[in-house]
């Protein structure tokens, strides 16, 4: 199953501009509230240094792309309608799309760092808004929505907990009623531990405890990266600094989505190229560049990269997948000599697997038959035989050997 990210945030923060930047889509962007009316999902990519160089082969990627020595591995990203304060009580477009957001593994919370949206989400004079307030309000709406959702199921959960013989059974009662939100048993267990609660407390839940539980579940189940947007506006400097000062427990990546979108468009016409190694844009053909695009490159490379160290949407996606979600890249191959699939495609697939995934987990991802008769894997870097319990490391190239089906 593909890794999935959801773009959330206040209306007008620049979510769709970001979505179009990373997917090449052309969804409507507008300076009025609630331009995006329903969720849109598309494919984007994270980048990892490809192993083909090290193995001295020419590759023919199938599930991914290899450009300039970088593997572009597909993930899904969903753009969501904007939120505003009071959304959980039905203001704006309400929170009905949050269940769609919950299908994601992690969130990108986009904040207008320039303060050019007012409390209600209307475009306003830059600097008059409050990015930290926006962030807090939207987070509050999500927790409120989640809390109501649990509340609506509380009778059912209480009954399950009442009849549970063990704590584990009681935990099942909680997490099964949250199905569809990608909340796992482990998330529930962690949330109970962090709130000092037992699953049996659900028989007698206070409002305050429920809020605490919802807040922790939100944090644990959807790791979140903050994208501080609109850094091209002078007022964003203060906003970005205040976000960093006030939010210490989250990674914040700055960008200017509108400039990045211009650069991606320039990339499509062959004028510039994004360089994943240096995380900047390089000019390919300056004669194709407009004055505005030249300024965008200057701003991105000189200001954002040099001043902020790391910036931009490709960096944000990579951080979300490799750092927040702690994914590793693995290359399974059916033919260990040619490093290819059965059709001869060399290093065809690069998969993302969560840290801690074993050879057995990988076999299950590829095919249940392969998993059933799994004997071992061969690490094609060293020739070592690895047991099914071996924990996959980033950029492993593996040949899985199974009694039922010799492949990959
Ligand atoms: N200056 C500047 N403006 C931006 C930037 N990103 C987006 N905008 C502008 O902000 C407005 C809102 O952009 P959208 O991408 O539609 O915002 P959204 O968050 O998708 O909004 P909703 O769909 O209504 O929730 C548009 O006028 C954009 O051009 C940026 O980096 N800098
Ligand atoms: Mg939008």
């Amino acid at each position: 199953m593909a890794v999935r990210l959801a773009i959330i945030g206040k209306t007008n923060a620049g979510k769709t501009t970001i979505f179009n930047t990373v997917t090449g889509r052309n969804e409507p962007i507008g300076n009025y509230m609630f331009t995006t009316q329903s969720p849109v999902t598309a494919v984007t990519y994270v980048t990892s240094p490809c192993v083909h160089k090290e193995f001295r082969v020419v590759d023919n990627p199938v599930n991914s792309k290899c450009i300039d020595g970088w593997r572009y591995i597909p993930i899904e990203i969903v753009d969501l309608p904007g939120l505003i304060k009071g959304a959980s009580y039905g203001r704006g477009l309400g929170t009905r799309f949050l269940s769609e957001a919950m299908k994601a593994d992690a969130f990108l919370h986009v904040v207008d760092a320039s303060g050019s949206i007012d409390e209600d989400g209307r475009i306003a004079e830059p600097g008059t808004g409050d990015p930290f307030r926006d962030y807090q309000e939207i987070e509050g709406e999500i927790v409120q929505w989640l809390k109501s959702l649990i509340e609506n199921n509380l009778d059912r959960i209480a009954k399950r907990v009442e009849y549970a013989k063990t704590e584990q059974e009681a935990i099942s009662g909680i997490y099964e009623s949250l199905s569809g939100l990608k909340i796992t048993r482990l998330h529930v267990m962690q949330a109970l531990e962090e709130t000092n609660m037992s699953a049996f407390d659900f028989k007698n839940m206070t409002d305050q405890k429920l809020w605490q539980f919802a807040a922790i579940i939100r944090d644990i189940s959807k790791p979140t990266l903050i994208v501080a947007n609109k850094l091209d506006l002078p007022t964003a400097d203060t906003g970005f600094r205040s976000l960093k000062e006030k939010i210490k427990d989250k990674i914040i990546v700055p960008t200017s989505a509108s400039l990045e979108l211009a650069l991606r468009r320039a990339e499509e016409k062959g004028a510039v190229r994004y360089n994943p190694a240096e995380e900047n844009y390089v000019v390919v053909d300056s004669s194709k560049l407009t004055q505005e695009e030249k300024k965008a490159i200057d701003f991105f490379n000189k200001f954002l990269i040099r001043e902020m160290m790391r910036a931009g949407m490709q960096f944000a996606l990579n951080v979300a997948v490799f750092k927040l979600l702690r994914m590793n890249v693995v290359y399974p191959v059916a033919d260990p000599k040619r490093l290819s699939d059965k059709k001869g495609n060399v290093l065809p697939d690069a998969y993302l697997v969560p840290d801690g995934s074993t050879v057995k987990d990988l076999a299950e991802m590829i095919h249940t038959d392969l998993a059933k008769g799994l004997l071992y894997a061969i690490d094609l870097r060293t020739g070592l035989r690895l047991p099914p319990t071996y924990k996959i490391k980033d950029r492993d190239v593996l040949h899985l050997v199974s009694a039922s089906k010799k492949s990959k």
Side-chain angles (χ1 to χ4, degrees):
M1 257 201 313
V3 174
R4 195 176 163 90
L5 304 179
I7 309 177
I8 61 151
K10 203 165 198 173
T11 180
N12 271 327
K15 298 179 294 301
T16 304
T17 312
I18 282 173
F19 179 78
N20 287 349
T21 301
V22 300
T23 62
R25 293 282 288 255
N26 216 348
E27 299 301 325
I29 291 168
N31 61 358
Y32 45 91
M33 296 164 75
F34 310 115
T35 307
T36 306
Q37 296 271 323
S38 54
V40 185
T41 304
V43 170
T44 184
Y45 298 86
V46 287
T47 55
S48 165
C50 185
V51 293
H52 83 266
K53 274 192 183 160
E54 187 193 332
F55 282 83
R56 295 178 197 201
V57 290
V58 177
D59 57 355
N60 321 93
V62 176
N63 87 331
S64 41
K65 301 189 276 192
C66 183
I67 305 168
D68 296 332
W70 289 81
R71 216 20 114 99
Y72 285 71
I73 305 158
I75 61 166
E76 282 175 1
I77 190 159
V78 54
D79 181 25
L80 289 149
L83 293 162
I84 50 165
K85 188 178 164 72
S88 53
Y89 300 106
R91 282 191 75 211
L93 297 176
T95 45
R96 62 185 180 280
F97 301 111
L98 277 178
S99 51
E100 194 63 29
M102 292 300 281
K103 289 182 191 159
D105 302 290
F107 289 170
L108 301 177
H109 185 153
V110 183
V111 181
D112 176 339
S114 72
S116 16
I117 42 184
D118 71 12
E119 186 154 17
D120 286 332
R122 277 182 219 93
I123 295 280
E125 189 63 33
T128 58
D130 182 343
F132 179 64
R133 175 205 61 204
D134 289 348
Y135 168 77
Q136 273 192 316
E137 281 176 5
I138 300 308
E139 285 297 326
E141 292 303 323
I142 296 170
V143 173
Q144 181 57 46
W145 171 80
L146 203 53
K147 175 175 172 273
S148 311
L149 202 103
I150 301 171
E151 241 162 5
N152 292 341
N153 282 302
L154 210 51
D155 284 350
R156 202 149 55 100
I157 299 175
K159 227 172 248 157
R160 292 270 318 254
V161 168
E162 179 95 45
Y163 292 119
K165 290 191 192 74
T166 60
E167 171 114 27
Q168 284 305 321
E169 236 178 82
I171 290 170
S172 302
I174 300 170
Y175 103 95
E176 279 164 20
S177 64
L178 301 176
S179 65
L181 305 178
K182 269 202 182 174
I183 291 173
T184 64
R185 169 185 289 273
L186 201 64
H187 293 148
V188 171
M189 284 164 66
Q190 278 176 348
L192 288 172
E193 199 180 310
E194 285 195 32
T195 47
N196 269 325
M197 282 185 345
S198 134
F200 292 109
D201 290 344
F202 269 78
K203 278 191 285 191
N204 259 317
M205 207 49 160
T206 62
D207 203 55
Q208 194 200 356
K209 284 228 152 187
L210 199 56
W211 174 275
Q212 268 179 5
F213 182 78
I216 294 275
I217 272 282
R218 181 262 169 272
D219 257 8
I220 295 174
S221 67
K222 305 295 154 189
T224 298
L225 180 141
I226 300 170
V227 179
N229 191 30
K230 308 197 186 178
L231 265 281
D232 54 296
L233 295 174
T235 50
D237 206 28
T238 321
F240 180 48
R241 223 175 309 131
S242 105
L243 286 172
K244 280 199 295 189
E245 261 161 35
K246 292 175 180 153
I247 311 168
K248 295 270 200 296
D249 61 341
K250 295 273 184 304
I251 301 174
I252 310 176
V253 175
T255 197
S256 159
S258 48
L259 290 187
E260 271 212 82
L261 184 60
L263 291 174
R264 294 287 171 127
R265 299 285 190 246
E267 192 168 26
E268 280 160 24
K269 63 176 184 183
V272 297
R273 189 167 51 81
Y274 181 75
N275 175 359
E278 302 205 345
E279 293 164 337
N280 63 10
Y281 286 88
V282 283
V283 177
V284 178
D285 183 350
S286 66
S287 70
K288 286 184 185 159
L289 283 176
T290 63
Q291 222 31 47
E292 205 180 69
E293 287 162 352
K294 278 185 191 152
K295 263 201 232 151
I297 296 178
D298 258 19
F299 180 82
F300 194 87
N301 290 353
K302 296 210 178 100
F303 178 70
L304 274 186
I305 296 292
R306 241 170 252 160
E307 301 286 317
M308 310 290 185
M309 299 299 290
R310 291 275 194 275
M313 283 318 298
Q314 189 60 60
F315 175 66
L317 295 177
N318 287 355
V319 169
V321 169
F322 296 123
K323 294 218 189 302
L324 278 185
L325 291 171
R326 287 186 289 139
M327 292 283 169
N328 289 324
V329 181
V330 58
Y331 298 74
V333 297
D335 181 335
K337 288 211 178 66
R338 294 161 72 196
L339 303 182
S340 71
D341 60 13
K342 284 177 183 147
K343 292 180 188 147
N345 297 305
V346 175
L347 297 168
D349 300 330
Y351 288 125
L352 293 167
V353 293
D355 197 37
S357 298
T358 60
V359 163
K360 177 96 181 170
D361 296 329
L362 177 65
E364 268 157 15
M365 249 178 96
I366 297 169
H367 204 290
T368 44
D369 279 353
L370 185 70
K372 264 185 220 151
L374 182 70
L375 299 171
Y376 53 86
I378 299 174
D379 173 12
L380 295 173
R381 223 178 236 111
T382 58
L384 280 175
R385 267 191 190 192
L386 307 170
T389 52
Y390 166 83
K391 289 201 174 89
I392 292 167
K393 287 210 307 293
D394 191 38
R395 301 173 72 245
D396 269 345
V397 181
L398 303 177
H399 170 61
L400 270 49
V401 179
S402 165
S404 52
K405 199 172 158 202
K406 264 196 155 190
S407 74
K408 294 261 178 181

